Amino acid sequence: MLELVIPGGGLPNRYPQPVRVRERALGRLLVDEAHNNRYTGLAGAFLERLRQGGVDASAGDWPWTLQALQETDLLVAAVPEPGFSLTPATFAAHELEALARWVRDGGRVLLAGGLDPDGGRHGVDQLNRILTALGAHLRFRAEPLEAGAPAVGTRDTPGDPAARIVRVVRGLGAGAQLYLRRPSALGLQEGPLSRGAVLPDGVDVLAWGGAGDAGEEMALVARERVGAGSVTLVVAPTYSPYEHGQRGFDDASFEDGLVGALLARP
């Protein structure tokens, strides 16, 4: 029995009021910072908000091993960026092997894509190496997301020619307005992942986005079952101050909803 002690007042110290006690954290989340990931070192506010909500959230800059992965429930890996870095911008073969085994055994990984600043496809190719190692149908495409409108010249966003304003029109976070920097399109091995595409078994689109309630819809978040686990693709990271610092956008609440959905057991 749990008793709440209220000092003073002379009131009886027993109340017929249920108190919910959390036996453990809602889940263990790790943000990968070991592969020159976009926004390395900029996930502090995101992690703190998750911790306040009951998630055991942290960042790590160590190579992936099966032992380390088994200590987490959800791994978040943003697109590796080419160029100078203090950590490798590629995934080693032994890391991919450890990740594939962990996911097949029930692990969950969230991959955040995006285009390289110089227009190359290094990051997309690296994330697709993960998807190949997992035997997944989903892929990142080295081309811009078509949904949404350019964010250049708006009052509340900087002049980033590759940034887009995207409204979630269906699925997780419907109605949310997102600010996305250099988002990449999602696809399947066979081609684009757009409305009307035939989805293989185990693949679901969790969020569709567009410029508004009408027009062509493009996948923003897609998830695929892999063994007892899953891999989820999002078109770009949404958890840095670059997105959360934009007034009038819902990136923070969207990211929280996405993490909550992925930590929840199906």
Side-chain angles (χ1 to χ4, degrees), residues 28-262:
R28 298 165 297 182
L29 178 144
L30 177 68
V31 172
D32 178 44
E33 294 190 344
H35 302 94
N36 202 40
N37 312 79
R38 183 170 298 171
Y39 300 152
T40 289
L42 296 178
F46 166 68
L47 296 173
E48 179 59 29
R49 192 172 63 254
L50 291 179
R51 286 192 286 264
Q52 292 178 359
V55 177
D56 182 0
S58 60
D61 60 358
W62 51 85
W64 298 342
T65 65
L66 183 59
Q67 180 179 1
L69 291 170
Q70 287 173 336
E71 296 175 355
T72 191
D73 297 306
L74 175 62
L75 172 68
V76 179
V79 57
E81 294 192 316
F84 173 79
S85 66
L86 299 178
T87 57
T90 61
F91 303 103
H94 65 85
E95 291 183 293
L96 297 178
E97 292 171 4
L99 183 73
R101 180 175 174 184
W102 173 68
V103 171
R104 287 195 298 267
D105 290 343
R108 286 156 283 179
V109 57
L110 171 62
L111 303 178
L115 303 178
D116 292 348
D118 61 0
R121 53 177 301 144
H122 170 86
V124 165
D125 287 346
Q126 287 301 310
L127 293 181
N128 283 340
R129 289 183 62 221
I130 294 177
L131 296 167
T132 298
L134 294 176
H137 293 90
L138 289 170
R139 291 291 187 273
F140 288 96
R141 297 174 66 85
E143 56 188 43
L145 183 74
E146 295 180 7
V152 178
T154 60
R155 184 186 65 182
D156 297 326
T157 60
D160 186 341
R164 303 191 74 81
I165 298 173
V166 177
R167 180 168 296 279
V168 183
V169 295
R170 283 195 297 147
L172 180 73
Q177 182 168 267
L178 305 180
Y179 175 73
L180 303 174
R181 299 179 80 223
R182 301 194 297 270
S184 59
L186 303 185
L188 301 165
Q189 292 185 48
E190 299 79 12
L193 186 57
S194 56
R195 186 174 184 176
V198 178
L199 301 181
D201 291 341
V203 174
D204 298 293
V205 176
L206 303 185
W208 295 89
D213 295 330
E216 184 176 8
E217 299 176 7
M218 301 295 292
L220 299 180
V221 182
R223 177 171 56 183
E224 182 171 358
R225 295 192 302 273
V226 178
S230 66
V231 57
T232 302
L233 281 60
V234 60
V235 294
T238 63
Y239 56 75
S240 87
Y242 291 105
E243 293 84 27
H244 291 177
Q246 309 302 329
R247 291 181 296 164
F249 293 93
D250 307 301
D251 295 73
S253 59
F254 178 80
E255 188 78 32
D256 289 350
L258 175 59
V259 169
L262 298 183

